Every structure is written in C-alpha cells, then in structure tokens.
Amino acid sequence: MAHDDSAKTSSSKLVIRNIGLLLSGDLASPILDADTIVAVDGRITAVGREKDVDTTQATMTVDAKRTTVAPGLIDSHVHPVCGDWTPRQNQLGWIDSYMNGGVTTMVSAGEVHTPGRPKDVVGLKAMAIFAQRAFHAYRPGGVKIYAGAPVIEHGMVEDDFKELAAAGVTILGEVGLGSVKDGKTARQMVRWARKYGIQSTIHTGGPSIPGSSLIDKDMVLETDADVIGHVNGGHTALPDEQITELCARSTRALEIVHNGNERAALLALRTAMELKQMDRVILGTDSPAGSGVQPLGILRLISLLSSLGNIPGEQAFCLATGNTAKIRRLDCGLIAPGREASFVFMDKAQHSAGKNLLDSIQKGDLPGIGMVIIDGAVSAHRSRNTPPATVAPEVVK
Ligand SMILES: [Zn+2]
C-alpha cells in the first residue's frame, strides 16, 4: 500500500483511544500510564488518559479495544537493493512483508547485494547517493528506509566523505565488506565519516557469504565504528571471550541480529545486562540474507531475548524501538510528544498459553499484530504474516 502524499495538504488528527497497554520504547520507563494517543499531521502531540487530552475534531479515531500499542519497530540492519526487490533470494515485496511484521523503519547496512555493485570510488559514491534518494522517495508499505550506505574501499580520501555527507548520505555500509580489511585504514575512514556526521557500522565475526571475510575483536576495537554490527555474528560468531571483551572494552552500540548465532545473542545480552548497559543493545535482522527474508525477524528476536534471555517483554521491545532510535538518531521509536506517529498494535496470539501479550512473549510466543500505523496513516490492518491477534483494533471514524 503506497502512502498518498496528495492527502497531506489538509491537517489530519489521529486519536487512538482505549489502549490496554502502552509500551513507551524507553528502557527508563517501558510502560506508560496512559490509554490515549493524539497525533497531528503524523506527529504525536499528546499521550495520557482520555479525559486529560483533547480528542475533539479527530479526522481518524482508532479504538484499540484494550490491546497493546508500541512504537513501530525499527530494523537496524537490512540489505535493500532497489525498490521492493531483493536479488539475494530473488523475492518481490519483502519490505511490505516486514511492515506486516510490525517494522516501520529500516536502516541499511549497505546495498551490497546489488548485482554488479561498483567498487571504484566514484561508482560507490554514485550508488550510495542513488540508494539514499530512491528509498527516500519510494516507501513500500509506508516503511521508512534509511539507505545509501556506501561500503568503504581503498583509495577513498577525506573529501569523499565530505562530498557524500553534503549529498545527503548519513550512514556507512558494514565496514569489512569492501577492500578495507585492516584496522588502521578503517579507523581513519570511520573518523572521516564521523567528522561529517556519517554514522558507521562494522561487520563482526566470520564471513557471511563467499567473498566476505573474518572481522575479529581486535579489528572491531581498532576501527571503533559507531555500531558493532551483529555482535552475535552474521551468522558465524566470534569466540565467547571475544564477544564479552567487545561488550566490556568498547562503549559503542551492540547490535544483535536475527540472522546471527542465537547462543551468542544471549551471551551478548547477558553481558550487557551485567555491565548495566542495556541501552547499548539494538536489534536488526541482517536480511535479506542467505537464510532468506524474515518478515517476523524483529518480533522473533524480541521473543527469543525475552523468553530465553529472561528479560521482561516490555524491555525487549525497547531494544527494537527507543534504543535503536536514540543510537541511530531517528525521531521515531518512542511514544512521546514530538515523535513520529508510527505504531504497532498487538495482542497475544489466538490460543497462546500466555495470560496476556507480555506473558505470551515471555513464554516464547510471537504476538499477533492487529494494525500498523506509519506517520499517522494506516499501513495494515490485521497482519497477513503474524499468528492472528486475539483482539484487533478498529478504525471507528
Ligand atoms: Zn555483516
């Protein structure tokens, strides 16, 4: 479903009422004492009890029917290529499918699956600028895709990063997927990128596919990228002692991915908890990949980390929303005035053994999605991909 920009000329007011459980996305207070959200022109303007907020003159009212509302999920690690197509498994419509898994924002870790990907400096810059522009303009299912993530190659100089930043590039693709495999060069380029406001991510662990290579903890620490990409491997993880050392010695973000080693994911989570640095943990799928397209990948990670990692469900959601938004400097991911009005409505899946949504997640089940809203507009009603929600919200006006 494409969003219709022509409809945005007059002011819109969305009221979501009768919320049973409101998840904030913020680890400091993951559950809000509120049952109503008001959003004007795609931005949250008020959160509170229905009697305390102005719900008049709404252009759309959603009755949440006492279900759970959370910020739209953020996938911190995707590999888009062009439009809603991935050549990795030659699938169409994957981004729209992820939206049906609650994802409203994606961050590219490099458009590395592009057939014939240019590796010369002018070519890689052109491709990054193209991807940034194309995904800014084209949003399958309404999903916001921050793409245009060049992979660093030997021969790049400081002016290249300055030029990329001036052209609108804000992120680097995974360091290590190009010809730069040494910490010294990578560190220099990451610093140039940072100087011009471009955020960096490094591939961590064994090679993902033939052609990529091992990045060990020494290379990760020396490069000092902003995000330690797939700290649990993508898919091959580093030895346990290297993972715990990365958590302890670096202060950078710890990204856990669906298409990584699940045991290593639990180790990284446990180590971050012991360090009292859960705010560094963010979630991605690292997909499309050799293991396919995973529309429910972020939900599956939330359920895995909550049920086997023993963290409350409401905290697990923060890793995929507020944490990622803060680290990626995005204005979504939190239920708070001024933030993007993107939401996922969930209920426990039909016939789950859980008592309620959070209990079902803590027991390892996936939630059922009843609605997805992006920028104040409905992108999906009942998800076509999750198990059916016991109760689904309804647009009442
Ligand atoms: Zn990787």
Side-chain angles (χ1 to χ4, degrees):
M1 194 186 311
H3 274 219
D4 183 3
D5 282 334
S6 66
K8 287 181 183 159
T9 44
S10 63
S11 181
S12 70
K13 180 173 179 177
L14 166 68
V15 171
I16 303 169
R17 56 177 299 277
N18 203 19
I19 298 168
L21 175 69
L22 185 50
L23 302 179
S24 70
D26 185 357
L27 271 179
S29 55
I31 296 177
L32 293 172
D33 180 21
D35 60 10
T36 304
I37 300 171
V38 180
V40 175
D41 294 336
R43 294 268 149 200
I44 300 172
T45 54
V47 181
R49 291 279 158 203
E50 187 165 0
K51 63 179 169 45
D52 301 324
V53 297
D54 177 14
T55 60
T56 59
Q57 294 182 313
T59 50
M60 181 168 73
T61 300
V62 175
D63 180 353
K65 300 206 179 155
R66 306 300 298 165
T67 60
T68 298
V69 175
L73 307 179
I74 306 168
D75 188 334
S76 174
H77 194 129
V78 294
H79 291 294
V81 165
C82 188
D84 205 356
W85 167 64
T86 171
R88 180 54 61 195
Q89 302 302 340
N90 206 13
Q91 266 181 264
L92 292 169
W94 69 277
I95 296 170
D96 186 78
S97 256
Y98 282 46
M99 183 274 292
N100 274 268
V103 173
T104 59
T105 300
M106 293 178 166
V107 181
S108 173
E111 296 78 38
V112 289
H113 301 158
T114 304
R117 165 165 72 99
K119 293 175 181 167
D120 62 296
V121 176
V122 74
L124 75 89
K125 287 193 292 186
M127 190 179 88
I129 295 164
F130 160 74
Q132 187 276 330
R133 294 290 189 283
F135 281 109
H136 181 74
Y138 180 60
R139 293 170 47 188
V143 177
K144 291 190 176 173
I145 303 138
Y146 295 93
V151 172
I152 56 172
E153 302 281 357
H154 278 291
M156 293 182 79
V157 297
E158 180 173 345
D159 269 352
D160 292 316
F161 295 89
K162 188 177 179 184
E163 188 187 343
L164 283 164
V169 169
T170 59
I171 40 178
L172 288 187
E174 285 175 79
V175 172
L177 298 189
S179 59
V180 176
K181 310 277 192 199
D182 67 290
K184 187 164 174 286
T185 309
R187 183 183 185 87
Q188 177 65 74
M189 291 187 181
V190 158
R191 281 189 172 177
W192 283 331
R194 191 176 289 134
K195 179 176 172 184
Y196 296 104
I198 298 174
Q199 192 177 63
S200 54
T201 298
I202 188 164
H203 173 95
T204 308
S208 297
I209 49 172
S212 68
S213 51
L214 168 73
I215 306 281
D216 66 6
K217 61 115 170 107
D218 292 329
M219 166 93 176
V220 174
L221 289 170
E222 187 175 3
T223 302
D224 193 33
D226 299 303
V227 175
I228 300 176
H230 51 65
V231 69
N232 61 319
H235 189 281
T236 311
L238 293 173
D240 287 4
E241 59 276 15
Q242 291 202 27
I243 293 173
T244 52
E245 191 174 336
L246 283 176
C247 296
R249 284 186 54 200
S250 169
T251 57
R252 302 297 183 182
L254 301 167
E255 184 189 71
I256 293 174
V257 301
H258 180 271
N259 292 337
N261 178 315
E262 289 167 332
R263 196 188 59 81
L266 295 168
L267 172 68
L269 178 74
R270 199 158 58 240
T271 307
M273 282 166 70
E274 284 164 9
L275 292 165
K276 299 193 176 7
Q277 294 178 357
M278 281 273 280
D279 56 333
R280 288 170 63 198
V281 180
I282 62 178
L283 307 186
T285 53
D286 191 4
S287 67
S291 56
V293 157
Q294 293 96 17
L296 307 184
I298 295 294
L299 288 178
R300 283 169 53 84
L301 257 187
I302 288 170
S303 178
L304 172 91
L305 297 178
S306 180
S307 59
L308 299 182
N310 289 316
I311 62 169
E314 64 271 25
Q315 287 186 20
F317 275 99
C318 297
L319 311 183
T321 54
N323 275 13
T324 319
K326 286 176 201 168
I327 281 163
R328 296 292 190 181
R329 301 187 298 245
L330 305 172
D331 63 0
C332 53
L334 291 174
I335 304 288
R339 289 278 169 163
E340 181 184 307
S342 295
F343 313 106
V344 55
F345 293 67
M346 295 168 289
D347 196 12
K348 72 170 184 172
Q350 290 175 15
H351 302 291
S352 166
K355 288 191 292 287
N356 51 43
L357 175 92
L358 293 178
D359 189 48
S360 74
I361 287 164
Q362 284 152 206
K363 283 186 162 72
D365 283 341
L366 294 180
I369 289 179
M371 187 178 283
V372 178
I373 287 181
I374 303 179
D375 287 342
V378 177
S379 269
H381 291 271
R382 262 189 195 278
S383 165
R384 66 170 185 260
N385 289 331
T386 65
T390 304
V391 177
E394 204 181 328
V395 176
V396 291
K397 191 189 118 187

